[in-house]
Amino acid sequence: MRKIIVAIDGHSSTGKSTVAKRLAKALGYVFIDTGAMYRAVTLYALQNGFVSEGKLNAQKLTAALPSIELKFKTNTDTGKSEMYLNGKNVEGEIRSMEVSKYVSPVATIKEVREKLVAQQQKMGLEKGIVMDGRDIGTVVFPDAELKIYMTASAEIRAQRRYQELLGRGENVSYDEVLKNVQDRDRIDSTRETSPLKKAEDAIEFDNSELGMEEQFEKILDLARQKIDLQGFQNLEGLKP
Ligand code: DC
């Protein structure tokens, strides 16, 4: 059966990764969380002193880009894909509030985006991939067969993220998380290079109201329709 590319974009904490992960599992596809890649570059910037007094030194980070190697590896115990930065597992560290604070400014840097987008496009060469991010349907795979755009109110998203951080033992307040969500929305949507926006042919899901389960079933249905349609088109192509 021919494989497709599924692009899932949208604001932070809309449940994109959860849906993308489940969808990849159901279809037997590879799942790629591109946010993890931007987060790993941010962690590198923090670890190497490129952030001081709350300011990111974009020039230093750009110069260091050739020394940053990012890889996804599957954890054999959990079956989950995890992020490695220069050979070290950083899956836990990249989800911290500190990384969340600086990841949007890092993601505005053109050279960072060029490096990561090129790597993402390579991952999709053989299709059979579900990728989530901000620019997947618009920049990384403008020809993706299925594009989903997920959104929800900032308050609902902050509440989800707050619970997640508390669950991981981080000492944060709801207000701090809400501010971070709103700040990232603003920076991600207004940056010059590849701002977050809905691709014209993307299907929008607002999950402020819609339950996660219902939403997943709908997206799975859409993916199956696209895959069947592709198979049908291929058969048509074989007709004399
Ligand atoms: O999905 P996430 O919240 O883990 O993403 C972290 C940040 O990375 C987000 O604020 C914007 C940026 N990002 C991006 O600019 N482009 C992507 N394809 C994925 C993430």
Side-chain angles (χ1 to χ4, degrees), residues 14-213:
T14 42
K16 295 188 302 292
S17 291
T18 310
V19 167
K21 227 177 278 176
R22 281 187 69 186
L23 189 65
K25 198 165 177 209
L27 300 173
Y29 280 17
V30 173
F31 157 66
I32 301 291
D33 166 11
T34 61
M37 300 170 77
Y38 288 92
R39 285 174 178 276
V41 173
T42 307
L43 181 64
Y44 183 94
L46 287 164
Q47 287 174 339
N48 287 276
F50 300 159
V51 177
S52 87
E53 292 170 14
K55 273 203 89 89
L56 168 75
N57 188 325
Q59 240 174 343
K60 279 196 178 162
L61 178 57
T62 303
L65 280 177
S67 322
I68 302 179
E69 190 210 44
L70 305 176
K71 273 213 174 101
F72 286 104
K73 284 191 202 164
T74 306
N75 179 322
T76 46
D77 290 338
T78 61
K80 287 185 182 155
S81 159
E82 295 178 342
M83 184 81 241
Y84 282 71
L85 167 63
N86 291 337
K88 185 173 172 260
N89 187 330
V90 291
E91 186 57 34
E93 280 171 277
I94 59 169
R95 311 284 163 194
S96 70
M97 197 59 194
E98 185 68 359
V99 169
S100 294
K101 241 189 233 170
Y102 294 103
V103 65
S104 280
V106 166
T108 62
I109 303 172
K110 191 169 130 271
E111 290 81 358
V112 169
R113 303 204 70 83
E114 282 168 358
K115 177 180 167 104
L116 300 196
V117 167
Q119 200 175 337
Q120 291 152 10
Q121 287 173 334
K122 261 197 201 156
M123 294 173 188
L125 281 178
E126 294 183 10
K127 303 210 176 189
I129 194 165
V130 182
M131 193 174 271
D132 89 67
R134 305 292 191 288
D135 58 344
I136 312 305
T138 50
V139 175
V140 182
F141 298 123
D143 296 328
E145 286 83 357
L146 177 61
K147 298 182 187 177
I148 304 291
Y149 187 83
M150 286 172 60
T151 160
S153 74
E155 289 72 17
I156 287 197
R157 290 185 286 128
Q159 190 59 43
R160 285 185 194 143
R161 184 107 184 92
Y162 176 58
Q163 294 301 339
E164 188 190 320
L165 287 166
L166 283 190
R168 296 198 309 116
E170 280 217 35
N171 183 17
V172 287
S173 70
Y174 168 77
D175 287 345
E176 193 183 343
V177 176
L178 177 62
K179 183 174 180 312
N180 176 253
V181 163
Q182 289 167 331
D183 285 349
R184 283 203 287 148
D185 282 0
R186 182 176 41 76
I187 302 174
D188 294 347
S189 315
T190 56
R191 68 177 173 229
E192 222 170 276
T193 317
S194 329
L196 167 67
K197 65 168 191 261
K198 180 176 166 288
E200 265 178 31
D201 49 349
I203 300 163
E204 182 164 340
F205 284 84
D206 183 333
N207 60 44
S208 304
E209 308 296 333
L210 194 67
M212 283 297 186
E213 197 53 41

Side-chain angles (χ1 to χ4, degrees), residues 218-234:
K218 284 191 176 169
I219 295 174
L220 179 60
D221 235 32
L222 286 167
R224 289 195 168 129
Q225 283 172 29
K226 291 282 181 190
I227 292 168
D228 286 350
L229 192 67
Q230 267 253 326
F232 177 71
Q233 279 166 349
N234 291 338

